Amino acid sequence: MQIQEGVPGRFFLLVVSFLFAGASAILVAQNVTGVISGTISDSTHAVIPNAAVTIVNADTGVTVWQGLTNQVGLYRAPELSVGRYNVSVEAVGFRHEAVNGVNLAVDQRANINITLQPGAVAESVTVNGNTAGQLATDSSSLGNVINTSQVEDLPLPSRNILNLLSLTAGVSSGGDATGINANQLSINGSRTLNSEFTVDGVSVVSGSTGGVQTLPPADAIREFKVLTSAYSAEFGRTSGGTVTMVINSGNDAYHGGVYEYFRNEDLNANDYFQNLRGQPRAQDRYNLFGAKLGGPILIPKLYNGKEKTFFFVDYEGLRRSSPFANISSVPDSAFRAGDFSASPVPVFQPGTATPFPGNKIPANLIDPAAAKILGVLPGANSPGSPDAADGRSINNLVEVGSSAPSSNT
């Protein structure tokens, strides 16, 4: 890191360094990581101790782990973030070997065993490792990883990332055809509200209701893992399943995108019942928009973060007008005035078995508080349907409009 001459430049760089250090500490504490481990041996299957193993993040170019194999040829690199890695090995008397593009998923224990061939270290053998380490040999947990390509490419009704939970066997939920209801989620027969949801290791489940709180936008999620049963004690706190989500991160190249999902009533046909009543289309507008950007941090003349420091930001906004049509039953003007002469049901004088004459309540007997409450109640705006049982009209109040929810995440 180069510091520009002068006190202001040094002070600025010091402040930025403290911010980066604090952010890194938070991310390490909350991150859900994986492990790459394995055995280094020769062509006769004899283990090779003190072989130098180097693991580099393939997307950022950062060396994340270096070490030597132990006396039985084992190495283990813990606390690795989700991503792609290149694993290389060197040992005296053997050719340099590398397995590139190892995909490490959420909470995965990838077993990468490498066999070295006799030869000079200057000689090199490189293997494509994008399918290496996928077989879990040191964990009995059952589940499914929803990977980056599935998150990005599969259709998501209402852009709800939880809809991808249905890709895992044993997951069922209430809700309509366009969305999973996380409050009614059952994994392998567990009770609803008994599942755990975490984002980068932090629970997003409400302690009072057990429901899922606000989740990051779909474009901010790199991948997530659904554990359905037999998971280890570190995933305690629940008798149901565990959903572990990981946020995207920046790498050594700038990547970003913008998007918008749009709907407008001008593109839709009118509702059948509104056509029947001669009413126009209600306002029905849906605008979900956002942007994301990630890459190395670059401060001209102060700091170049390539292969060292990275950022990722994401924003999503929702502006919506949702139509509604509520149909209710309210008293007509005669009933409000105490005139029940149209009703076959007799209205008795208080404390007696004597009905009011003509089934009409005198105005001086109507409670003033009740009269004020009736004055606030909307009046009928539709003929409704006659109810022969009590002489009233039902479904005589039709309220049509649009609500306007909005959010920013």
Side-chain angles (χ1 to χ4, degrees):
M1 181 184 303
Q2 295 182 348
I3 301 177
Q4 186 182 33
E5 291 297 329
V7 174
R10 293 184 180 182
F11 175 76
F12 177 76
L13 184 55
L14 181 62
V15 171
V16 173
S17 299
F18 272 116
L19 290 175
F20 290 160
S24 298
I26 294 173
L27 289 175
V28 170
Q30 298 178 353
N31 198 23
V32 177
T33 58
V35 176
I36 294 179
S37 61
T39 301
I40 308 302
S41 60
D42 61 20
S43 56
T44 66
H45 304 294
V47 298
I48 302 176
N50 297 319
V53 181
T54 302
I55 300 179
V56 177
N57 188 304
D59 295 318
T60 64
V62 175
T63 299
V64 296
W65 190 86
Q66 286 180 311
L68 300 176
T69 57
N70 62 14
Q71 294 304 309
V72 292
L74 293 175
Y75 73 95
R76 186 174 190 273
E79 302 292 331
L80 299 181
S81 301
V82 172
R84 296 189 310 118
Y85 292 93
N86 300 333
V87 182
S88 61
V89 183
E90 292 183 355
V92 177
F94 295 92
R95 292 186 294 180
H96 175 274
E97 300 273 351
V99 179
N100 289 346
V102 175
N103 292 308
L104 189 64
V106 182
D107 189 42
Q108 181 184 358
R109 275 66 170 168
N111 190 37
I112 307 298
N113 299 322
I114 299 177
T115 301
L116 300 184
Q117 301 296 328
V121 177
E123 299 179 77
S124 178
V125 177
T126 302
V127 177
N128 183 0
N130 58 0
T131 60
Q134 300 301 306
L135 180 63
T137 60
D138 58 354
S139 174
S140 61
S141 62
L142 298 178
N144 182 36
V145 174
I146 310 301
N147 58 39
T148 305
S149 62
Q150 291 172 308
V151 172
E152 293 179 348
D153 299 337
L154 289 177
L156 286 176
S158 302
R159 299 294 293 165
N160 183 1
I161 193 72
L162 294 180
N163 287 320
L164 295 179
L165 293 177
S166 58
L167 298 176
T168 301
V171 174
S172 62
S173 168
D176 55 28
T178 61
I180 278 183
N181 185 347
N183 294 329
Q184 298 179 11
L185 184 70
S186 175
I187 298 180
N188 275 2
S190 66
R191 297 184 63 183
T192 58
L193 300 180
N194 273 12
S195 297
E196 177 66 277
F197 291 78
T198 62
V199 177
D200 277 355
V202 178
S203 176
V204 291
V205 173
S206 169
S208 57
T209 66
V212 179
Q213 302 302 294
T214 301
L215 291 172
D219 283 68
I221 300 294
R222 180 186 179 103
E223 65 183 44
F224 62 91
K225 185 173 186 178
V226 185
L227 291 173
T228 57
S229 63
Y231 41 82
S232 62
E234 65 183 292
F235 296 101
R237 224 176 85 117
T238 177
S239 60
T242 294
V243 180
T244 304
M245 298 186 177
V246 176
I247 296 294
N248 242 322
S249 61
N251 54 42
D252 216 32
Y254 290 104
H255 295 279
V258 295
Y259 58 90
E260 181 179 19
Y261 296 87
F262 168 81
R263 185 171 69 227
N264 189 285
E265 72 275 3
D266 290 337
L267 305 176
N268 301 332
N270 199 7
D271 179 83
Y272 169 82
F273 295 101
Q274 288 181 227
N275 270 332
L276 190 64
R277 294 190 293 264
Q279 295 174 332
R281 286 172 293 191
Q283 191 176 78
D284 181 12
R285 300 177 183 177
Y286 182 92
N287 288 85
L288 182 70
F289 55 92
K292 62 180 179 178
L293 179 64
I297 292 178
L298 178 63
I299 304 175
K301 299 183 181 180
L302 285 178
Y303 184 72
N304 186 353
K306 287 185 73 69
E307 298 187 0
K308 288 177 286 188
T309 312
F310 313 92
F311 74 94
F312 177 81
V313 293
D314 184 278
Y315 167 78
E316 184 171 276
L318 173 64
R319 305 294 182 267
R320 185 175 184 180
S321 295
S322 301
F324 62 82
N326 298 327
I327 301 177
S328 309
S329 300
V330 295
D332 59 23
S333 57
F335 277 24
R336 289 168 185 258
D339 182 359
F340 294 92
S341 57
S343 174
V345 181
V347 180
F348 296 98
Q349 299 181 28
T352 71
T354 304
F356 284 107
N359 227 19
K360 298 180 180 180
I361 302 175
N364 64 327
L365 293 183
I366 296 178
D367 186 271
K372 288 185 177 295
I373 293 174
L374 284 173
V376 177
L377 192 68
N381 61 5
S382 172
S385 305
D387 183 1
D390 53 19
R392 63 171 184 158
S393 293
I394 60 173
N395 300 329
N396 55 359
L397 175 62
V398 180
E399 296 176 295
V400 178
S402 298
S403 60
S406 64
S407 64
N408 296 284
T409 53

